């Protein structure tokens, strides 16, 4: 493992805490920093590596378990009021992935509204994930009440498609699970999907909590890690600020979650490098980041604001948050 500078020194070198970059005395040094950041490639540009790192993340974290706890304990009450007594409900899943979480939510919807039929629009840009979702549906009995419409597209493309087709259909339940990092303007995306809600409709957004290790990592290294075309560094704190500025009321929930990132601190560990890619959203972060940036990120990941160390393991704060909003009034 390479020798790391102190946390303070490393952060100062890459402009971590001072996002205004005023610590640099001349424009040449600023240009060097921005060139360094812009040379890093986004992980989502390599779908194969992204899927591999994502699967490892799921193995090393309690992410899906904490989502399931929320779905089991809290979601039914949220879903109880939707539909306004209708016999048919329209659902849109934005960034549905391989469908496991979608189907669990649909099962809870069925329990609360046992006699309804469901039109389920699936919006997912990854052909691999969409294929896995279709396989899951084909293997799961008792889904005859759901009509699946498969949309291999991003949220932005779906919005364009909806507008071009001049669609008037309204949705009773829209969910965005861990996807607001991959849109250019999260606020505009939220506003569009909120505009699709029918009477008593609900828009549910799940993403990392502003109080999580992710929040600290992104607040510190927003300029160095984030792709300017895609607002990857977004937390529930950012979404709440946006909704507050628009005067939109919301319900919010905190979901405790953790992630074992111990392998990240073993130089050259293949799985550790995959996890670092996922944490930073940078393709081959260990190989392409400057020594200063890599040292600073590793130091911060180990900092008590992000992780706790227990029994020789480094456990990252992976807390999630859920925000639910109603039809625009």
């Amino acid at each position: 493992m390479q020798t790391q500078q102190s946390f303070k020194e490393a952060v100062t070198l890459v402009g971590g805490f001072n996002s205004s970059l005023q610590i640099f005395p001349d424009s040449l040094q600023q240009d060097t920093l921005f060139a360094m950041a812009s040379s890093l490639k986004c992980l989502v540009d390599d779908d194969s590596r992204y899927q591999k790192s994502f699967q490892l993340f799921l193995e090393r974290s309690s992410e899906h378990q904490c989502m399931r706890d929320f779905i089991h304990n809290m979601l039914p009450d949220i879903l109880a009021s939707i539909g306004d007594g209708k016999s048919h409900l329209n659902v849109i899943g934005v960034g549905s992935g391989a469908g496991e979480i979608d189907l669990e939510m649909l099962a809870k919807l069925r329990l609360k509204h046992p006699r309804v039929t469901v039109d389920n629009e699936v919006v997912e840009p990854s052909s691999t994930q969409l294929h896995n979702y279709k396989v899951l549906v084909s293997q799961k009995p008792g889904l005859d009440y759901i009509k699946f419409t498969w949309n291999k597209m991003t949220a932005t493309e779906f919005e364009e498609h909806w507008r071009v087709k001049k669609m008037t259909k309204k949705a009773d339940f829209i969910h965005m699970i861990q996807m607001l990092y991959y849109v250019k303007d999260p606020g505009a995306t939220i506003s569009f999907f909120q505009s699709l809600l029918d009477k008593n409709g609900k828009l549910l957004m799940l993403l990392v909590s502003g109080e999580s290790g992710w929040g600290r990592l992104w607040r510190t290294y927003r300029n160095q890690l984030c792709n300017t075309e895609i607002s990857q560094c977004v937390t529930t704190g950012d979404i709440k600020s946006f909704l507050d500025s628009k005067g939109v009321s919301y319900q919010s929930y905190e979901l405790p979650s953790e992630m074992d990132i111990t392998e990240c601190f073993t130089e050259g560990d293949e799985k550790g490098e995959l996890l670092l890619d996922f944490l930073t959203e940078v393709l081959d972060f260990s190989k392409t980041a400057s020594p200063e940036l890599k040292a600073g990120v590793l130091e911060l990941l180990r900092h008590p604001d992000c992780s706790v160390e227990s029994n020789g393991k480094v456990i990252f704060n992976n807390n999630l948050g859920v925000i639910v909003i109603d039809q625009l009034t």
Side-chain angles (χ1 to χ4, degrees):
M1 184 172 178
Q2 71 181 53
T3 303
Q4 296 180 355
Q5 295 153 285
S6 74
F7 173 57
K8 186 176 180 182
E9 289 172 331
V11 167
T12 302
L13 276 165
V14 295
F17 286 127
N18 191 333
S19 59
S20 66
L21 306 180
Q22 293 171 349
I23 55 175
F24 290 92
D26 57 61
S27 59
L28 177 61
Q29 286 174 296
Q30 292 191 34
D31 291 342
T32 301
L33 171 62
F34 285 120
M36 177 184 76
S38 63
S39 68
L40 299 176
K41 292 184 179 177
C42 186
L43 176 61
V44 294
D45 291 340
D46 184 333
D47 188 59
S48 174
R49 189 163 175 89
Y50 173 80
Q51 298 300 337
K52 202 180 293 184
S53 66
F54 176 61
Q55 287 306 315
L56 182 61
F57 160 71
L58 291 180
E59 291 171 20
R60 293 292 183 272
S61 75
S62 60
E63 172 116 344
H64 271 187
Q65 186 54 52
C66 90
M67 287 185 191
R68 289 186 173 100
D69 289 345
F70 171 80
I71 290 168
H72 180 74
N73 297 319
M74 301 176 195
L75 184 63
D77 287 342
I78 295 170
L79 296 177
S81 62
I82 73 168
D84 200 30
K86 294 188 297 187
S87 61
H88 181 81
L89 298 177
N90 293 320
V91 176
I92 303 175
V94 189
S96 289
E100 301 102 324
I101 299 298
D102 280 32
L103 293 187
E104 291 193 30
M105 289 191 286
L106 287 167
K108 292 300 178 187
L109 181 66
R110 179 69 163 175
L111 284 174
K112 280 293 175 183
H113 305 275
R115 287 176 292 279
V116 303
T117 54
V118 174
D119 184 1
N120 185 40
E121 295 268 0
V122 178
V123 182
E124 171 56 50
S126 167
S127 54
T128 301
Q129 295 284 58
L130 210 55
H131 170 75
N132 291 340
Y133 195 154
K134 291 177 181 179
V135 170
L136 187 64
V137 168
S138 70
Q139 295 172 343
K140 198 171 182 70
L143 299 180
D144 296 347
Y145 68 97
I146 306 173
K147 176 195 172 190
F148 290 90
T149 302
W150 307 102
N151 300 280
K152 184 187 174 301
M153 57 185 75
T154 65
T156 303
E157 289 166 345
F158 181 80
E159 179 177 346
E160 291 169 358
H161 166 78
W162 200 269
R163 293 188 192 283
V164 167
K165 295 281 188 180
K166 296 182 179 176
M167 301 285 283
T168 57
K169 183 169 78 171
K170 293 294 184 179
D172 301 289
F173 181 48
I174 303 173
H175 54 84
M176 302 174 168
I177 307 296
Q178 294 286 44
M179 59 69 59
L180 284 169
Y181 322 112
Y182 307 112
V183 296
K184 189 171 182 179
D185 186 341
T189 298
I190 292 168
S191 295
F192 167 71
F193 283 100
Q194 185 184 25
S195 75
L196 302 187
L197 291 176
D198 206 348
K199 181 182 179 184
N200 293 342
K202 301 282 185 185
L203 169 57
L204 182 151
M205 298 161 275
L206 185 149
L207 64 164
V208 297
S209 167
E211 304 306 311
S212 66
W214 297 96
R216 178 61 188 272
L217 176 65
W218 291 342
R219 282 193 298 273
T220 305
Y221 288 111
R222 189 179 293 267
N223 289 334
Q224 287 75 51
L225 299 180
C226 295
N227 185 328
T228 54
E229 290 300 305
I230 303 174
S231 301
Q232 294 167 349
C233 300
V234 61
T235 70
T236 54
D238 300 307
I239 302 306
K240 288 175 184 177
S241 295
F242 167 75
L243 295 174
D244 288 339
S245 73
K246 298 293 184 183
V248 176
S249 60
Y250 53 85
Q251 298 168 275
S252 65
Y253 308 82
E254 285 289 314
L255 316 183
S257 177
E258 59 186 30
M259 172 186 178
D260 184 349
I261 61 169
T262 310
E263 292 153 307
C264 293
F265 301 94
T266 300
E267 186 73 25
D269 186 280
E270 183 183 353
K271 290 185 175 178
E273 291 184 353
L274 272 174
L275 288 174
L276 274 174
D277 281 13
F278 193 80
L279 284 160
T280 60
E281 288 286 350
V282 171
L283 181 64
D284 293 321
F285 175 80
S286 292
K287 296 181 177 68
T288 59
S290 70
E292 294 86 1
L293 179 58
K294 184 178 174 183
V297 166
L298 286 171
E299 191 79 18
L300 179 56
L301 288 175
R302 207 162 201 152
H303 191 274
D305 284 350
C306 287
S307 301
V308 296
E309 297 197 39
S310 176
N311 300 321
K313 294 185 178 295
V314 183
I315 307 299
F316 183 74
N317 180 333
N318 186 55
N319 287 1
L320 306 176
V322 171
I323 297 173
V324 180
I325 59 177
D326 299 322
Q327 181 190 40
L328 198 60
T329 54

